[in-house]
């Protein structure tokens, strides 16, 4: 009996000696190893949110959304002079890059989520002396009132507890990180008949639908044609999500389902419909080629140049480019629609309110401040950075740089401001890099012809000419988790140093006004991107055009994703899931 | 790179050498240890269902239901002369005793289910030389036609694939194992407002509702009174399921939720409403006492003698016994209704068809054959065994025993048939045991007074008198997983030996007819019962009135449940879940 009560004794030890609060469990599973590590905080940790710093009134920061942007903001924010209120209908953060794995049960839904309350609490306990008071509210924001500094909310409509009372929350600073919606391009029938793959619930629904299809196709009443229709899985959109889902589904069917549904094997078909010329077209050509060839070998039908024009309950109609606009109707059993992102209705109406129309997302400046609003920040998929063009400010830049007001700019004068220019206008640096220019003098030379470096002196017109091309280097950031997470971290760092930066600005010179910017503008650092292609093979495109495809990249993928997971809990669970999948296969129970 | 590709190489090894098909992974987790063991069958195993035994026409066995009874029947059936068709809306078997653990995330839903197709396939591969052809169909039986030997089915209505075509399945033998429904006693409002706890989906729904309640109570708009209502969890029924749920919920709230929702602590209340005088009243008095005291200490309000008369959306009305029939309305946030079982509509209409009215479940004889039907068997919660009374057959027994037709029975004559009597009428043995009689002679003495054993000779009237009390020992079997599983195994064994037993009957003498019964009647062997009470304490009542309460029983519970799980996969998952719960706590994400 005593020997058995290890659990009991260990758990008592936790209560008695809070210093034992870190428990390390090492599990060696099938040759690999992982370390599960628990923040077994004693319960009083939860109450330690009252800040030790006393202040007249804390600034109230309202954060809308608990996705990548919102969560990374919350994790990094550690300035106790804020009172933070988080509003989101999802009380958890989901590690979305693993969503395609959830659709087929390679990873369980619960393994990739972490309650936002526990993320927020953990951060607080570690930095107890500079704790921020964060409270969370499971509600949906349905209106933003920038004029009165209020957001209007209602309880999560998906909740089983009925309650509809709306309420308003005041803010001093508003951080909008609501993410985006799937983009249907207003194609008829998409909302009614297609599955999306943006939320955890979507992935769970797809998983159930796949099993349902196999069960349905096994019923005795059906014709073979009907079976074929039901087991035809169509993926619309050949981006990373759609491709990964198709690959996962192919593995699920071939590794697991054919064993349990041997008769279904001959009827299964997976099709990817892509409107462009290639799938994965944001990736390197080598990856695209490899993926298309692999899918061809795997029997996944990739239809390029196919635009979906209509979806009915049993057929999907496509228009193939170069086919004289002829419309083909393909019978299907299930469609997953993953063609890009659209705007949230709340964001759309807010954009109208502040005069930002005809845009897909909220325009912000390089400091993530929403254009035309005070104290409102937007980040992640619901926002785009509206980069300032050099040409718009060219006169001001010239004036600032021309310190002696001579009307001409020497290389020396220009060199003094070039760092500020490059910081304020990242396109300049990009342009130099792409044109393989060593330094700014080369740029100026272009406008002046072949003269000695010291002799270069430009007037305003020549200066304009020299910089006329740089704005072509501006491009929008992709709508990825990586961008959102970096923006969240950036903004939290700004908030943390708000007061210091007011006194000692850190940013570049303000060219059109006096002084310096408080902060450096946001700069995205691309760390690479993965495209898992199934069969334990992954394509990886890393910075510096480094491309790696195959089993080794799959292992890189495993390691990177395991390390990027939000908590030790999710890390342990995901690794357990991978192991379980390897040992036992994926589960096909309909739950 | 080579070092990393262990997964890859191991998985190739599997393909290349099918003899490597057993992979043993030993994980030592927090001092305890478990062995995960995979039947990594090569995929051709699945096609090996074509029986090697050729026959003119196989008998078709239709099994309705994939619960405890149906699954244990399928697992044990190994006679290749049957062609088995399984029909159930659930394509998995669920380990129901762990359902209360699923409601609070101590164990994940997916860890306690196993696809029925893989259960059926695994069994087949092991006994390949005597394989039974089993096929499964995800459908709901809505009508049984005993006259034409047909069951009528329709596709699972919960499936996302729409399809409503009904179809009929013929059978030679029908095994009804559909289980039961929750019993609402026709209390108004129960179906609309209460949660049940019979299916995996119920447990998942309860889990979400608990989180929803805590999130809802954290919204800023509510009054404290409203918060108190929302966090009032009511359990109706003090049986093992209700009690275990209340205990799990109490642990969930106190171990995990109070850390994340510190403000909610003062508002939470758990109440158990039990109509009888005690909770757990099928258990020993010591267990009942312990449970009631523990719950009192834990702050769980146990209201005994409270009958629920009505449930509205926010209030539950009870009538307390001995209170003059006064009705009290209690505000609540969530109700879990677990008061016992009722009849499935299909079973009810089938009972009407075969003239079994006014019963809760299908009446069968001791061989699990439905009374009044040929070739139909019923087992598990949808059936009750209608035990034969000794007094009904008393004349026939007397006649059979009185071999010399003397009109009187000697002890010797009686001793020759007593084994058959005890086997046919288990109540006789029970009666002897309860009355502490050594042997049958004691019983006969009662009718004859104090005479020497050899001199006893009884006429029919005296014989009747001697046995007049034994039928009082008959009692119905409880509606538990244990009974259902034993019935399934019993019936499979009968089916396996059907032909042999036809030639060499194994059962007792037929008293009313000639010859012997083909099989021994079903006998239930009670192996004990657990009642987990929370805080790592469990009450166990084992055979022989052995009662154990506390932490050691919790460990017994862990071991027994882990060993009883249906597959190595579920075993590994449940043990992982328990470990995870211990290390990281339960998850409170709303998914």
């Amino acid at each position: 009996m005593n020997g058995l009560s290890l659990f009991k004794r260990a758990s008592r030890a936790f209560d008695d000696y809070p210093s034992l609060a870190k428990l390390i469990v090492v599990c060696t599973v099938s040759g690999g190893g992982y370390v599960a590590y628990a923040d077994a905080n004693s319960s009083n940790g939860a109450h330690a949110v009252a800040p030790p710093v006393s202040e007249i009134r804390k600034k109230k920061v309202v954060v809308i959304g608990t996705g990548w942007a919102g969560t990374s903001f919350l994790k990094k924010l550690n300035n106790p002079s804020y009172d933070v209120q988080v509003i989101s209908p999802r009380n958890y953060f989901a590690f979305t890059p693993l969503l395609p794995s959830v659709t087929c049960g390679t990873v369980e839904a619960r393994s990739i989520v972490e309650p936002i309350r526990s993320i927020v609490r953990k951060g607080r306990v570690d930095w107890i002396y500079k704790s921020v008071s964060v409270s969370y509210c499971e509600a949906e924001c349905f209106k933003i009132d920038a004029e009165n500094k209020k957001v209007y909310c209602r309880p999560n409509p998906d909740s089983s507890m009925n309650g509809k009372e709306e309420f308003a929350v005041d803010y001093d600073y508003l951080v909008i990180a609501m993410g985006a919606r799937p983009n249907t391009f207003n194609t008829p029938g998409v909302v009614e008949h297609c599955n999306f793959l943006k939320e955890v619930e979507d992935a769970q629904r797809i998983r159930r639908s796949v099993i349902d299809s196999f069960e349905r196709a096994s019923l005795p009443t059906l014709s073979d044609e009907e079976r074929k229709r039901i087991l035809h899985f169509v993926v619309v959109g050949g981006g990373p999500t759609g491709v990964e889902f198709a690959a996962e589904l192919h593995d699920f069917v071939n590794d697991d389902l054919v064993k349990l549904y041997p008769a279904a094997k001959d009827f299964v078909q997976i099709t990817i419909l892509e409107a462009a010329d290639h799938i994965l077209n944001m990736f390197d050509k080598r990856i695209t080629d490899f993926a298309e060839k692999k899918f061809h070998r795997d029997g996944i039908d990739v239809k390029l140049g196919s635009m979906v024009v209509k979806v009915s309950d049993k057929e999907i109609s496509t228009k193939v480019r170069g086919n004289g606009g002829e419309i083909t109707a393909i019978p299907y059993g299930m469609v997953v629609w993953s063609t890009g992102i659209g705007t949230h209705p709340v964001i759309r109406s807010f954009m109208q309110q502040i005069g930002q129309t005809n845009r897909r997302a909220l325009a912000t400046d390089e400091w993530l401040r929403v254009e035309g609003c005070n104290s409102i920040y937007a980040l992640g998929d619901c926002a785009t950075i509206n980069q300032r063009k050099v040409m718009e400010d060219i006169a001001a830049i010239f004036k600032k740089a021309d310190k002696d007001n001579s009307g001409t700019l020497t290389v020396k004068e220009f060199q003094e401001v070039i760092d500020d220019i490059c910081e304020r206008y990242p396109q300049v640096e990009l342009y130099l890099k792409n044109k393989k220019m060593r330094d700014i003098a080369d740029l100026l030379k272009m406008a002046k012809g072949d003269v000695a470096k010291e002799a270069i002196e430009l007037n305003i017109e020549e200066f304009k000419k020299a910089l006329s091309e740089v704005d072509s280097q501006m491009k929008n950031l992709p709508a990825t988790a990586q961008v959102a997470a970096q923006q969240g971290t950036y903004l939290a760092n700004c908030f943390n140093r708000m007061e210091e930066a007011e006194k000692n600005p850190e940013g570049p010179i303000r060219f059109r006004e006096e002084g310096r910017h408080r902060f450096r503008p946001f700069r995205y650092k691309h760390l690479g991107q993965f495209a898992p292609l199934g069969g334990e093979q992954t394509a990886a495109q890393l910075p510096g055009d480094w491309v790696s495809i195959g089993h080794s990249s799959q292992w890189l993928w495993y390691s990177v994703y395991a390390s990027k997971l939000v908590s030790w809990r999710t890390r342990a669970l995901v690794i357990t899931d991978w192991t379980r999948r390897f040992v036992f296969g994926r589960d096909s129970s309909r739950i």
Side-chain angles (χ1 to χ4, degrees), chain A:
Chain A
M1 207 170 111
N2 254 346
L4 281 173
S5 56
L6 177 114
F7 252 67
K8 191 177 73 186
R9 276 185 289 135
S11 85
R12 273 191 201 147
F14 268 70
D15 291 342
D16 297 347
Y17 309 100
S19 62
L20 253 175
K22 311 267 177 205
L23 171 75
I24 297 179
V25 179
V26 181
C27 305
T28 45
V29 181
S30 72
Y34 69 89
V35 179
Y37 161 103
D39 268 32
N41 298 298
S42 57
S43 62
N44 59 350
H47 306 299
V49 280
V53 188
S54 62
E55 236 171 321
I56 293 93
R57 197 184 85 84
K58 289 185 164 200
K59 295 268 187 187
K60 182 147 189 194
V61 180
V62 171
V63 180
I64 309 181
T66 51
W68 280 95
T71 305
S72 71
F73 174 79
L74 291 170
K75 280 179 83 172
K76 289 287 173 203
L77 191 71
N78 59 12
N79 185 331
S81 66
Y82 299 110
D83 189 4
V84 184
Q85 171 76 56
V86 187
I87 295 163
S88 166
R90 297 188 316 186
N91 78 352
Y92 54 85
F93 163 74
F95 189 80
T96 47
L98 284 175
L99 274 187
S101 298
V102 172
T103 57
C104 296
T106 309
V107 163
E108 288 301 324
R110 202 165 289 281
S111 307
I112 65 162
V113 303
E114 183 73 22
I116 197 74
R117 289 173 189 273
S118 91
I119 293 176
V120 158
R121 186 176 69 97
K122 275 210 183 109
R124 298 298 90 79
V125 174
D126 286 352
W127 304 304
I128 202 148
Y129 52 95
K130 37 176 176 171
S131 63
V132 192
S133 144
V134 179
S135 64
Y136 167 78
C137 193
E138 192 184 89
E140 188 184 56
C141 165
F142 66 94
K143 197 179 143 197
I144 298 165
D145 181 353
E147 211 161 303
N148 300 306
K149 292 198 162 194
K150 270 182 203 300
V151 291
Y152 291 86
C153 308
R154 60 181 157 229
N156 183 2
D158 295 334
S159 166
S160 62
M161 307 300 293
N162 38 18
K164 296 198 168 19
E165 327 75 29
E166 297 171 354
F167 58 95
V169 180
D170 295 304
Y171 65 81
D172 294 307
Y173 298 109
L174 177 63
V175 177
I176 306 177
M178 301 179 84
R181 288 239 164 145
N183 195 349
T184 65
F185 301 102
N186 294 321
T187 314
V190 172
V191 174
E192 296 85 347
H193 304 296
C194 293
N195 290 286
F196 300 109
L197 189 42
K198 276 202 75 65
E199 304 283 339
V200 177
E201 282 90 347
D202 295 336
Q204 290 175 307
R205 210 173 297 127
I206 290 174
R207 181 173 188 177
R208 223 161 9 227
S209 295
V210 172
I211 303 294
D212 280 346
S213 304
F214 275 83
E215 287 297 352
R216 176 104 180 88
S218 307
L219 289 183
T221 44
L222 301 182
S223 68
D224 279 2
E225 201 183 351
E226 187 69 350
R227 285 202 175 94
K228 213 167 158 180
R229 178 186 73 75
I230 289 169
L231 293 177
H232 186 204
F233 301 94
V234 178
V235 180
V236 182
T241 309
V243 162
E244 190 179 346
F245 169 67
E248 277 279 349
L249 182 60
H250 175 263
D251 284 2
F252 186 27
V253 170
N254 287 279
D255 295 352
D256 303 291
L257 292 179
V258 291
K259 291 182 199 158
L260 299 186
Y261 306 81
K265 201 181 179 179
D266 306 329
F267 300 105
V268 182
Q269 175 63 49
I270 302 172
T271 302
I272 299 179
L273 301 176
E274 166 61 52
D277 289 335
H278 289 287
I279 56 170
L280 296 177
N281 50 30
M282 67 294 293
F283 279 87
D284 191 279
K285 182 94 181 53
R286 286 166 285 176
I287 291 179
T288 302
D289 280 355
F290 181 87
E292 286 174 3
K293 276 183 197 138
K294 180 175 187 302
F295 281 5
H296 184 72
R297 279 198 308 277
D298 287 349
I300 298 175
D301 189 10
V302 180
K303 286 194 201 302
L304 299 169
S306 292
M307 219 176 72
V308 175
V309 291
K310 201 184 119 190
V311 184
S312 73
D313 65 338
K314 291 185 178 172
E315 283 184 336
I316 182 161
S317 306
T318 60
K319 200 156 76 179
V320 182
R321 198 155 9 100
N323 216 353
E326 201 189 311
I327 289 173
T328 328
I330 312 166
Y332 76 88
M334 192 183 111
V335 176
V336 172
W337 187 272
S338 74
T339 56
I341 56 170
T343 321
H344 234 287
V346 193
I347 300 288
R348 195 177 300 131
S349 75
F350 176 57
M351 281 161 69
Q352 270 165 356
Q353 203 190 111
I354 59 172
Q356 290 191 3
T357 38
N358 293 323
R359 287 182 151 277
R360 190 197 57 72
L362 271 170
T364 70
D365 62 15
E366 289 89 340
W367 292 266
L368 310 183
R369 294 174 300 202
V370 175
E371 287 189 348
C373 293
N374 275 325
S375 332
I376 301 187
Y377 298 78
L379 49 167
D381 287 0
C382 66
T384 47
I385 297 176
N386 202 1
Q387 280 178 51
R388 188 87 192 160
K389 286 184 181 152
V390 171
M391 293 318 281
E392 284 178 57
D393 297 343
I394 196 83
I397 297 171
F398 188 87
K399 196 156 168 262
K400 256 290 139 80
D402 182 20
K403 279 199 180 147
D404 56 4
N405 277 322
S406 63
T408 56
L409 213 60
T410 61
V411 170
K412 188 165 169 289
E413 276 177 328
F414 194 53
Q415 265 166 346
E416 273 169 27
V417 293
I418 186 66
D419 286 347
D420 287 301
I421 292 178
C422 285
E423 197 154 75
R424 178 68 188 85
Y425 308 96
Q427 59 266 42
V428 175
E429 207 168 20
L430 265 175
Y431 183 78
L432 292 177
K433 202 173 146 196
N434 282 350
K435 295 278 171 190
K436 300 205 168 36
M437 292 180 178
R438 256 176 311 118
D439 65 19
I440 197 77
D442 291 339
L443 184 67
L444 301 185
K445 264 185 193 164
M446 270 177 52
K448 208 58 191 176
D450 197 17
V451 292
K453 190 179 157 192
E454 299 73 35
I456 295 174
E457 234 184 290
L458 300 168
N459 63 24
I460 176 89
E461 287 311 315
E462 288 163 333
F463 187 60
K464 267 189 194 167
K465 195 182 157 204
L467 292 170
S468 59
E469 296 281 302
V470 294
D471 287 334
S472 65
Q473 295 298 317
M474 296 197 310
K475 55 182 172 189
N476 285 332
L477 295 176
T480 60
Q482 219 175 119
V483 171
Q486 289 184 20
Q487 290 182 335
T489 306
Y490 166 83
L491 193 64
N493 283 331
C494 294
F495 270 74
N496 290 339
R497 286 173 297 117
M498 195 82 91
E499 287 149 56
E500 292 156 53
E502 204 68 71
K503 291 171 216 149
N504 306 308
E506 303 165 354
I509 292 175
R510 291 176 194 265
F511 287 102
R512 286 169 299 161
E513 293 152 52
E514 285 312 299
R516 305 187 78 88
H517 289 279
R518 280 184 303 177
F519 300 105
R520 294 204 173 88
F522 171 72
R523 248 337 152 82
Y524 171 59
K525 193 160 181 281
H526 185 64
L527 300 172
Q529 201 173 358
F530 288 106
L533 301 172
E536 295 283 318
Q537 298 197 62
T538 286
Q541 183 166 358
L542 301 167
D545 279 336
W546 198 68
V547 166
S548 155
I549 306 174
H551 297 290
S552 56
S553 313
Q554 178 74 23
W555 279 96
L556 187 65
W557 182 87
Y558 281 133
S559 337
V560 170
Y561 278 25
S563 70
K564 289 282 174 194
L565 279 160
V566 71
S567 69
W568 286 102
R569 191 190 128 268
T570 50
R571 221 159 280 163
L573 291 189
V574 165
I575 293 170
T576 316
D577 286 349
W578 284 334
T579 315
R580 185 209 56 197
R581 201 271 305 161
F582 178 64
V583 179
F584 300 107
R586 301 169 185 87
D587 181 41
S588 62
S589 306
R590 197 200 167 278
I591 59 164

